[in-house]
Amino acid sequence: MTRDWWKHLILILGALIVIAPFYMMISYSFKSPGEIERGTGGFFGRQEMMVDEACVNLRHPDRDDIAAARAEYPGQSDAQLRDTLMAQAQTECSVRPVVFNYTKAFTEAPLLRYLLNGIVVTASIFLLQMIVALPAAYALAKLRFWGREAVFAVVLFCLLIPVHAIALPLYIGLSKLGLTNTYAALVIPWTISVFGIFLMRQFFMTVPDDLIDAARMDGMGELTIVWRVMLPTAIPALMAFAIFSVVAHWNDYFWPRIVVTGDRNLFTPPLGLREFKADIDGSLYGPMMATATLIVTPLIVTFLLAQKRFIEGITLSGMK
């Protein structure tokens, strides 16, 4: 009993450590800059009206505005008219912190374009990885050929190579082909996933050979067996791999930062956070956290919807 209590305590502490950054991210997306700086306001902030200084600066009165205001406010000097117009601008630019943060997330940068880029890149990568991984995993799991174990050993070895070790040669090769600042540069290096091959191979090892023999007796070729027999049975493992692949490439900042250097329209969601980086006026932490919340939300929703399949895929892939 005591042993189980310690297990649950450790799991709860681990969960709190994981949840803490998400708590801060969502909380900051609700707060005003002053509350973020002082660490006050609770989780949702006090939601008192605040002035959008950028909005006020855009409405700063010029000579024409002052001249037009003389008819509405007769008898006032230019300085008084300027103060009156500035007061009106501050009133019109007053918003709730949550509205300010999430509005800025969409207006300070083309967030919808970045989200679309993220969908295009991650979906393309996963589709190509699946096209490569399924036949390769099937061959390593069910076909008998000379050197099969050596090929599988190479796959395991490739799992140990970090992407940072091969980033420079990949970049030079893409640069010489003129593919930098293109969708191809974001997708092509990841079309072969050794982890995907390994995961699907482990799952295919659990599929009975009798099923494959029956398909061969029906006249199916090996590729037909892969797509018409093995693919439907591998949906749980494929869902698990999809979660790993999509999360990894949706959140990837390192590689897009290298190959996308001049075209803002190719920015993926993590690169979009750079739009809120520190400058003369300081970092916009509220809009930055609102943007991060909007970027992370699709992943959380997808995982919750596919949670059962994900767990099944991981469990079955480890069975002998």
Side-chain angles (χ1 to χ4, degrees):
M1 188 68 179
T2 304
R3 193 173 178 182
D4 292 338
W5 183 82
W6 278 105
K7 287 180 181 179
H8 286 88
L9 178 61
I10 293 172
L11 290 174
I12 291 172
L13 290 175
L16 291 176
I17 292 172
V18 172
I19 291 173
F22 292 95
Y23 175 90
M24 297 298 295
M25 176 184 71
I26 297 173
S27 178
Y28 279 14
S29 73
F30 293 141
K31 293 183 177 182
S32 65
E35 289 173 332
I36 294 175
E37 184 177 348
R38 296 188 299 269
T40 59
F43 181 78
F44 292 103
R46 299 180 65 181
Q47 295 303 315
E48 296 177 344
M49 299 296 287
M50 58 170 284
V51 177
D52 182 354
E53 295 297 338
C55 174
V56 172
N57 291 334
L58 290 175
R59 294 170 179 262
H60 197 281
D62 55 19
R63 290 179 180 271
D64 294 335
D65 295 328
I66 293 174
R70 284 199 181 98
E72 187 176 355
Y73 303 99
Q76 292 189 5
S77 65
D78 288 355
Q80 290 174 326
L81 289 172
R82 183 178 290 104
D83 292 341
T84 300
L85 293 175
M86 287 297 295
Q88 289 180 350
Q90 290 186 344
T91 301
E92 293 172 358
C93 292
S94 296
V95 292
R96 302 287 181 187
V98 63
V99 176
F100 170 78
N101 292 335
Y102 281 91
T103 301
K104 280 288 184 181
F106 285 98
T107 58
E108 192 75 11
L111 181 59
L112 291 177
R113 178 58 187 256
Y114 300 159
L115 293 173
L116 178 62
N117 288 342
I119 293 172
V120 170
V121 170
T122 54
S124 300
I125 290 174
F126 173 67
L127 179 62
L128 292 172
Q129 286 178 338
M130 183 181 69
I131 291 174
V132 174
L134 286 175
Y138 171 75
L140 291 173
K142 295 301 181 182
L143 299 184
R144 301 290 184 266
F145 58 90
W146 183 85
R148 186 182 71 166
E149 299 304 321
V151 173
F152 183 60
V154 171
V155 170
L156 294 178
F157 175 75
C158 289
L159 286 172
L160 304 177
I161 302 176
V163 63
H164 306 82
I166 58 175
L168 182 58
L170 282 174
Y171 174 78
I172 293 174
L174 291 170
S175 179
K176 289 184 177 297
L177 293 173
L179 294 178
T180 54
N181 291 307
T182 64
Y183 283 113
L186 294 169
V187 174
I188 290 176
W190 316 114
T191 53
I192 299 177
S193 170
V194 289
F195 174 73
I197 295 173
F198 170 76
L199 184 68
M200 299 310 299
R201 185 258 184 188
Q202 294 302 104
F203 181 86
F204 286 160
M205 292 291 289
T206 67
V207 176
D209 291 338
D210 293 342
L211 181 63
I212 299 172
D213 293 337
R216 288 171 180 159
M217 291 179 64
D218 287 340
M220 291 186 183
E222 300 300 333
L223 282 177
T224 305
I225 293 174
V226 171
W227 301 114
R228 297 185 60 182
V229 177
M230 304 300 285
L231 176 59
T233 64
I235 294 299
L238 207 56
M239 291 291 291
F241 174 55
I243 294 293
F244 282 115
S245 177
V246 169
V247 169
H249 297 292
W250 181 272
N251 291 329
D252 187 19
Y253 178 83
F254 173 75
W255 183 249
R257 183 69 182 89
I258 291 176
V259 296
V260 179
T261 56
D263 193 349
R264 190 184 183 201
N265 290 326
L266 290 174
F267 278 9
T268 55
L271 287 182
L273 290 174
R274 293 176 57 209
E275 302 296 316
F276 305 96
K277 67 182 182 300
D279 53 19
I280 296 176
D281 299 324
S283 296
L284 298 173
Y285 291 113
M288 184 185 295
M289 293 300 102
T291 303
T293 301
L294 292 170
I295 290 173
V296 169
T297 298
L299 297 180
I300 296 175
V301 172
T302 302
F303 175 77
L304 292 176
L305 292 176
Q307 183 178 13
K308 183 178 179 181
R309 290 283 192 175
F310 174 76
I311 296 173
E312 287 179 0
I314 294 296
T315 304
L316 292 174
S317 298
M319 293 175 59
K320 292 292 183 181

